[in-house]
Structure formats: C-alpha cells, structure tokens
Amino acid sequence: MYKTEKPFYFTKALGTDNRQTNEDFEPTPTEIFNARGGENNFSLEQNGFEWILHKTSLDVDSQDGIQRYIKDMESFLKVYLKAEHVYAYDYVIRQQRGQGEPPRLDDTSSVKRSVLTTHLDITPKCAVERLNARLPSEQAQSLLKNDWQIVNVWRPLVDVVKSHPMTVCDSRTLSHDSLIACDMVYPEYSTEIYHVLPSPEQRWYYLDGQTDGEVLLMRNFDSRGLIGKSAP
C-alpha cells in the first residue's frame, strides 16, 4: 500500500473517506539493551542520544511551573551544548493511565499517552517547516545558513521509572531504507514523522530505573545529516 499511498494518521477522524489512518503495525520481537552501568558511554555526537545528570525543581501542575522549567532548560542547554541560541518551541507531557482515567492537567492537549511504536519525531522537511513557523523570518533564515539541530529533552515525572521506559536507537545503526515518512494531521496543522522499520542491524537501549535527575537528550534533527546524527 505504501508504494501507492503515503502513510497518514489523523489525530481525529477528519479524513474525507472516514479513514483515520492507512497504517498497519505488526509487533516484531526486538532485543533492547539495558544501558545502566554504561550510560556514560553514549553521546549526542556519537549515538544521537545521551543521559545527563540534571536536577531541577519541576511543577507540572501549573502552567507557570511548566514555563519556569522550560526557561531553566533553555539556559542549561545553551551552556551544555555550547550553543549560540537555544529556543524551546513545544512541550508534551506523556502519561500512562487506565482507560477513562483523566489526565493530571486541565490542558489535555499537552497531556498524551505514551507512544508505543518506533518513530523519529521529525523529518528534514518537517524540521525546516518548524523552524520557519516558530521563529521570526530573519532569525530562521540566518539559522538555515548555519549548523542547527532539534534536541528532545526527556525527563521522568516520577522519582523512578518502573514501567514503559523510553527506548532509543543508536543513530549509527539506522539506514535510510528503514525510514518511512508519514503525515500526522492535527486539527490546526499537519507535520511529518518517520516510522522505523525493524532491522537486525539496529541497536536499541533503555536506562533501567531512570530517575527524575537522569535526563535523556535525543537529537531529532541535525542540519549536517540524518543517519548517524538523529535517534528514534
């Protein structure tokens, strides 16, 4: 099907033919390695992800608390990544909850269930579109002439993660053949992600017992290239 029709997913049933998606997923047994004990051996530059130690006050029960945290992380990343500019343009709170159980915040658009399919959040096409949409035109055009990247900051909202740990793939083990572009259509806008086909060459990792002070940095996009730079 994907040879004749691009994969798509409507976050709401908006399709003209009443189809919410044309995607079909099949579970594939995959070995996932525990990085605990060797977590310091990974880096954004080498693997596309890394775990860092960073404690901070975090209050997700208020918008003021969330905005203070975002500003704190902007300042931290600017120093840690030795970046000239850092701009946080979005956030999502992922939460496992039972069927019918309400989210913790009133802002339900920012509280979503964990995603259990392998994917890369941003394609190169989507990255440029987000840059142009989120930044003033002059600033966006200036960045496009230089090296820039999009980095996902993933912090647990509990003391210790005991289920559904974040799993990441070593970017060096990806191939273009394993990536399928997919349109994600929201009521207000659309974006493009990559689904990741399984491959025996891929190496997937998680950090057992990740704490709220162990932050995972994942590179979603790098203007220098995709393979070997970005981590699903």
Side-chain angles (χ1 to χ4, degrees):
M1 177 185 296
Y2 297 155
K3 292 181 180 180
T4 58
E5 183 177 49
K6 184 179 180 181
F8 66 83
Y9 179 83
F10 285 88
T11 58
K12 294 185 178 180
L14 301 176
T16 56
D17 57 358
N18 295 320
R19 290 188 302 164
Q20 187 168 6
T21 183
N22 62 349
E23 299 173 332
D24 186 18
F25 295 100
E26 181 176 312
T28 304
T30 302
E31 185 172 11
I32 304 175
F33 299 92
N34 180 11
R36 178 64 72 188
E39 59 267 34
N40 294 331
N41 297 327
F42 299 91
S43 69
L44 276 176
E45 193 58 36
Q46 175 176 276
N47 312 98
F49 67 90
E50 64 180 276
W51 289 275
I52 61 172
L53 297 178
H54 181 262
K55 292 288 290 185
T56 187
S57 59
L58 176 57
D59 173 20
V60 298
D61 293 317
S62 72
Q63 290 299 321
D64 286 344
I66 291 173
Q67 293 305 316
R68 285 195 300 271
Y69 172 72
I70 288 174
K71 292 299 182 183
D72 179 36
M73 292 309 300
E74 281 183 336
S75 300
F76 170 75
L77 288 174
K78 184 175 181 180
V79 174
Y80 185 78
L81 299 176
K82 299 180 174 64
E84 185 175 350
H85 302 286
V86 171
Y87 175 69
Y89 66 84
D90 196 9
Y91 76 91
V92 172
I93 296 174
R94 296 289 183 189
Q95 185 179 39
Q96 287 297 121
R97 59 185 188 271
Q99 187 68 31
E101 181 184 348
R104 291 177 58 186
L105 300 182
D106 292 335
D107 182 11
T108 55
S109 63
S110 297
V111 182
K112 301 177 181 179
R113 296 181 185 274
S114 299
V115 178
L116 303 181
T117 56
T118 54
H119 66 281
L120 184 56
D121 284 329
I122 300 171
T123 66
K125 171 179 175 288
C126 171
V128 174
E129 289 176 349
R130 290 195 185 188
L131 186 69
N132 287 319
R134 303 286 183 164
L135 295 181
S137 177
E138 184 176 339
Q139 187 176 356
Q141 292 306 308
S142 176
L143 282 177
L144 286 171
K145 297 175 183 177
N146 297 281
D147 291 337
W148 59 285
Q149 55 187 300
I150 298 177
V151 176
N152 190 333
V153 180
W154 187 269
R155 181 190 296 273
L157 299 182
V158 294
D159 293 339
V160 180
V161 175
K162 297 181 180 180
S163 68
H164 296 83
M166 174 60 75
T167 301
V168 286
C169 181
D170 189 331
S171 59
R172 299 172 300 177
T173 67
L174 277 181
S175 69
H176 285 288
D177 292 340
S178 65
L179 302 176
I180 298 179
C182 169
D183 288 329
M184 296 286 291
V185 184
Y186 296 84
E188 302 83 10
Y189 67 96
S190 64
T191 186
E192 187 180 63
I193 68 170
Y194 280 129
H195 286 309
V196 183
L197 296 175
S199 168
E201 285 76 32
Q202 294 168 0
R203 300 279 289 188
W204 294 85
Y205 297 90
Y206 75 101
L207 186 64
D208 186 43
Q210 183 180 355
T211 70
D212 59 359
E214 296 175 314
V215 179
L216 175 62
L217 303 182
M218 298 173 285
R219 183 188 284 133
N220 289 159
F221 172 80
D222 193 315
S223 62
R224 297 173 297 171
L226 175 64
I227 303 302
K229 300 296 182 184
S230 301

